[in-house]
Amino acid sequence: MTTPSPHEPVYADRVYRSPMAVVSGVLLLALVAWLCGDAVVRGDGSARWVGVAVALFAVPLIVAFTLRPAVFANDDRMRVRNPFRVIELPWAAVDAVRAGYSAEVLAEGSKYQLWSVPVSLRERKKAGRQFSRGNALRGKGMAAGADAAEPAAPARASADRVVDELRELAERGAGRPGAQGGVRVRWAYEIIAPAVAGAVLLAVLLATG
């Protein structure tokens, strides 16, 4: 990473996660710990090994799809932590950040999904309805404390607001010395390896059981 000049400080990363995914992950991990722990402690014979194999297989996948996804962004770059990959994107390499049916970033001819920024079409429609209703009330002079002639800013769903912030960071930071370079992708072997080991062990136990 290029060291920024004293006149171009890099501030702490902004972190974007899905609170609902984190809560779901914690609950699922608690359920797996209870079921597999009970099999290991109270089971006999191969039941204990099955409990170990299921836990070894399930825990990394639960972590991968719930607790792990996050987007870290600062003035120089964005780091996308998806279930099985980490993608580091200097702003100069980013072509676009957008949200359609999913939030994604385009860079160097490739598309990377932002798993931690889920797009809710229901939330987007709700925000649109609230904006339309507010405009209707304002047009009739019924919006409390609002100037009927002053247009309101359109409501935005949470995913759209995050994408707006990332797009602004990309546009502002693309010319910085520290924002130059290419996209780097790293596979999350710390997630993949134990999940594969658990799947192999479970398959062997079921085949020989």
Side-chain angles (χ1 to χ4, degrees):
M1 179 183 299
T2 304
T3 303
S5 70
H7 304 291
E8 294 184 331
V10 176
Y11 296 99
D13 287 351
R14 302 185 190 185
V15 183
Y16 302 94
R17 294 178 182 272
S18 169
M20 287 302 298
V22 172
V23 171
S24 300
V26 171
L27 293 177
L28 287 172
L29 288 174
L31 179 63
V32 170
W34 174 45
L35 295 175
C36 295
D38 184 71
V40 171
V41 173
R42 299 186 181 183
D44 51 5
S46 63
R48 293 184 176 181
W49 285 105
V50 170
V52 171
V54 170
L56 191 60
F57 173 67
V59 169
L61 294 182
I62 292 173
V63 171
F65 286 99
T66 59
L67 304 181
R68 176 181 168 81
V71 172
F72 305 87
N74 59 31
D75 290 344
D76 281 345
R77 64 196 61 235
M78 172 168 61
R79 183 162 59 93
V80 180
R81 196 169 68 190
N82 281 343
F84 302 114
R85 294 191 300 178
V86 176
I87 306 103
E88 188 171 321
L89 305 108
W91 290 128
V94 172
D95 299 320
V97 185
R98 65 190 187 187
Y101 292 105
S102 64
E104 55 196 25
V105 56
L106 306 180
E108 297 181 347
S110 298
K111 179 171 65 177
Y112 305 99
Q113 188 173 351
L114 309 182
W115 280 75
S116 67
V117 188
V119 172
S120 171
L121 298 181
R122 180 179 179 183
E123 183 185 3
R124 188 177 283 169
K125 291 178 180 178
K126 181 180 178 181
R129 287 196 301 268
Q130 289 176 343
F131 174 63
S132 300
R133 185 161 53 246
N135 273 353
L137 293 174
R138 189 172 292 102
K140 297 177 181 179
M142 297 173 59
D147 185 353
E150 181 182 351
R156 303 284 282 166
S158 58
D160 295 325
R161 291 197 301 269
V162 170
V163 167
D164 288 344
E165 291 180 18
L166 293 174
R167 188 181 295 127
E168 181 182 351
L169 283 171
E171 293 173 353
R172 192 170 64 225
R176 291 172 57 90
Q180 308 307 306
V183 177
R184 291 190 296 177
V185 179
R186 180 182 68 83
W187 288 96
Y189 294 107
E190 66 275 15
I191 295 290
I192 297 170
V196 170
V200 171
L201 178 58
L202 184 60
V204 170
L205 291 171
L206 294 178
T208 60

